[in-house]
Amino acid sequence: MTRTQVGIIGAGPAGLMLSHLLHLAGIESVILESRSRKAIEETIRAGVLEQNTVDLMVETGVGARLQREGFVHHGFEFRFEGHGHRIDLTGLTGGRAITVYPQHEVLKDLVEARLAAGADIRFETRDVALHDLTSTPRITFTGVDGQPGELACAFIAGCDGSYGVSRPAIPADKRRDFLRIYPFGWFGILADAPPSAHELIYARHERGFALISTRSPDVQRMYFQCDPADSVDNWSEDRIWAELQTRTEGEGFRLTEGRIFQKNIVPMRSYVCEPMQYGRLFIAGDAAHTVPPTGAKGLNLAVADVFILARALERSLKSGADEGLQSYSATALKRIWRAQHFSWWMTSMLHRFEDATAFDRRRQLAELELVTSSESAARTVAENYVGLPLA
Ligand code: FAD
Ligand code: DHB
């Protein structure tokens, strides 16, 4: 049996950042991850880092590559009715911005820093199960060598994403689930092409939403609203480009096309589990909540959760003061619900809803007119998009 102070399940942004912050505070952890290092470092997911996430990475010594290779964006565009309208993120928020730097690059930087500091990360661990959460917590598992293992710890951090084992370890009668499923998904592509615009474009079109993002001067990331049950095989390159061109058209704008080398469809939902604690188990990131990606909040919320959790665990393990742990769930949930509202709002302003009436569509356009013409409304969007300060 291995002993550690905090047993962490999942090596996503939440688990790795938590382990990193705990290490800086002199606290030991072990991470159990079901996938291989290669798999987590290659999975394409989010791309936008809030100012808070960037600052935390830089301040804690894992931001050097991000500062070199990330792209700082001071604004983005809302595009509707054939016209673009810029949201001046930096001007409206007193100097804040977002950085485009893919999630798997964040993971590479965190894994490298953790392993360089001698961290115990067990990749390809199977059969993870949680025990004795209200007394002396333990985690049992099967290691990559096929041998059974056991980890005894003072606390368990469940950072194992939407489909992990941590949240279900909270008894159903001790938690409440809040769920909203959207009747659409996002079709995501990566293409070999130069950027079509200097900043991200969030486009609302009668045919549905489209998002133009970037990865590098040679690789672009784009999404368009689709049927979540559709298959990427139904979409040829020509059909994808025609759809994206139509949804972003106007003022002579044309996307620069190129070879599409990755396609995926993600469903969209909003979900929150309350509370984010049971006994000595604390859940964080996607294990506790999901946001639709329109607000670019998923990864950033995961980091914000573990920022709060790391401080609370440090206080408890160093001085026995448990107030931070007792208030962890309530503190994190405040920010989560704020992000839930913002993500739902962005989603509702920009997507095509099949059951929308002509009135609903005019009202949707009026809302976009408001956020692109009223400075106070635009500021609300900008402040939420760059991220509220960490507590
Ligand atoms: P995760 O990144 O999911 O990490 C959890 C880790 O736990 C994984 O590595 C997993 O392998 C591991 N794990 C799971 N079960 C077990 C187990 N039983 N035992 C051990 N380990 C386990 N957000 C955006 O803002 N924009 C986007 O475009 C976007 N695209 C996305 C696309 C996809 C396909 C997905 C799934 C998510 C996307 N997100 C996006 C959301 C964002 O990526 C997540 O919010 C973020 O990854 C949350 O980090 P996390 O550490 O909480 O969870
Ligand atoms: C990206 C993803 C998002 O969900 C978003 O809102 C903006 C950008 C991206 O992958 O680049």
Side-chain angles (χ1 to χ4, degrees):
M1 172 149 58
T2 310
R3 280 187 186 283
T4 192
Q5 289 175 291
V6 182
I8 299 176
I9 307 173
L16 286 166
M17 181 55 94
L18 178 63
S19 177
H20 176 59
L21 295 175
L22 291 174
H23 165 70
L24 296 179
I27 292 165
E28 261 184 25
S29 62
V30 172
I31 305 181
L32 303 177
E33 164 60 50
S34 56
R35 294 186 299 156
S36 67
R37 177 177 179 184
K38 185 171 185 304
I40 68 162
E41 291 186 350
E42 286 181 356
T43 306
I44 307 294
R45 287 193 177 174
V48 169
L49 305 186
E50 286 180 357
Q51 185 76 58
N52 300 308
T53 305
V54 170
D55 292 347
L56 187 64
M57 288 185 66
V58 171
E59 282 160 19
T60 62
V62 288
R65 202 162 64 91
L66 156 73
Q67 283 181 306
R68 271 198 320 273
E69 297 176 17
F71 296 93
V72 178
H73 286 218
H74 297 284
F76 73 82
E77 185 180 294
F78 276 128
R79 204 170 175 80
F80 55 96
E81 299 289 274
H83 298 286
H85 307 259
R86 184 168 189 261
I87 299 291
D88 177 6
L89 294 173
T90 301
L92 289 163
T93 61
R96 292 161 76 77
I98 54 119
T99 300
V100 176
Y101 188 68
Q103 175 163 333
H104 63 277
E105 302 295 347
V106 173
L107 295 185
K108 280 186 204 165
D109 296 341
L110 285 168
V111 169
E112 192 182 309
R114 289 285 41 237
L115 292 178
D120 185 351
I121 309 179
R122 316 264 178 108
F123 292 103
E124 298 177 71
T125 296
R126 287 177 292 117
D127 310 323
V128 168
L130 295 75
H131 310 275
D132 305 327
L133 298 177
T134 55
S135 52
T136 49
R138 289 178 303 120
I139 308 173
T140 54
F141 56 91
T142 305
V144 63
D145 55 1
Q147 297 300 310
E150 189 168 338
L151 187 62
C153 34
F155 296 103
I156 297 177
C159 301
D160 46 353
S162 305
Y163 306 103
V165 291
S166 301
R167 184 175 68 237
I170 304 179
D173 63 344
K174 295 279 190 277
R175 64 171 211 255
R176 191 159 169 210
D177 297 306
F178 299 83
L179 175 66
R180 180 187 192 107
I181 294 176
Y182 298 87
F184 41 74
W186 275 17
F187 195 117
I189 62 159
L190 282 170
D192 286 323
S196 302
H198 296 300
E199 295 179 335
L200 270 56
I201 301 174
Y202 286 80
R204 180 258 184 219
H205 189 273
E206 287 299 325
R207 290 182 63 82
F209 170 72
L211 169 58
I212 309 306
S213 181
T214 185
R215 285 293 178 267
S216 73
D218 309 312
V219 174
Q220 307 313 313
R221 179 76 163 146
M222 301 178 201
Y223 303 90
F224 58 94
Q225 177 182 352
C226 68
D227 177 347
D230 206 343
S231 161
V232 293
D233 300 329
N234 294 332
W235 289 80
S236 66
E237 283 209 7
D238 287 350
R239 188 175 171 212
I240 292 171
W241 286 120
E243 196 62 43
L244 282 165
Q245 295 288 10
T246 303
R247 294 191 191 189
T248 53
E249 71 198 350
E251 295 170 322
F253 180 82
R254 289 293 292 172
L255 289 167
T256 317
E257 300 182 8
R259 184 183 69 96
I260 296 171
F261 62 91
Q262 205 257 355
K263 303 191 258 190
N264 68 324
I265 292 179
V266 281
M268 303 252 296
R269 63 204 174 102
S270 301
Y271 169 77
V272 180
C273 168
E274 291 189 5
M276 294 161 63
Q277 176 196 5
Y278 175 66
R280 296 171 85 80
L281 165 68
F282 296 85
I283 57 174
D286 276 18
H289 44 76
T290 307
V291 283
T294 329
K297 289 280 161 260
L299 159 71
N300 297 293
L301 266 187
V303 169
D305 285 355
V306 298
F307 175 77
I308 301 166
L309 183 56
R311 288 204 307 198
L313 287 168
E314 181 186 355
R315 258 178 269 143
S316 173
L317 286 162
K318 285 190 177 161
S319 63
D322 278 343
E323 299 82 21
L325 286 177
Q326 281 157 15
S327 59
Y328 162 68
S329 178
T331 307
L333 282 166
K334 235 184 156 129
R335 185 188 187 85
I336 290 159
W337 277 111
R338 191 68 193 262
Q340 286 289 357
H341 171 260
F342 178 65
S343 306
W344 165 84
W345 185 38
M346 288 281 281
T347 303
S348 69
M349 263 195 298
L350 291 161
H351 288 74
R352 173 191 162 93
F353 289 78
E354 290 302 332
D355 59 353
T357 61
F359 175 90
D360 295 331
R361 286 197 285 277
R362 284 283 194 282
R363 189 203 49 74
Q364 192 183 43
L365 285 172
E367 193 164 22
L368 283 166
E369 286 289 349
L370 174 74
V371 297
T372 52
S373 57
S374 149
E375 189 175 317
S376 56
R379 179 169 292 118
T380 300
V381 171
E383 282 173 349
N384 282 279
Y385 192 76
V386 300
L388 305 167
L390 289 169

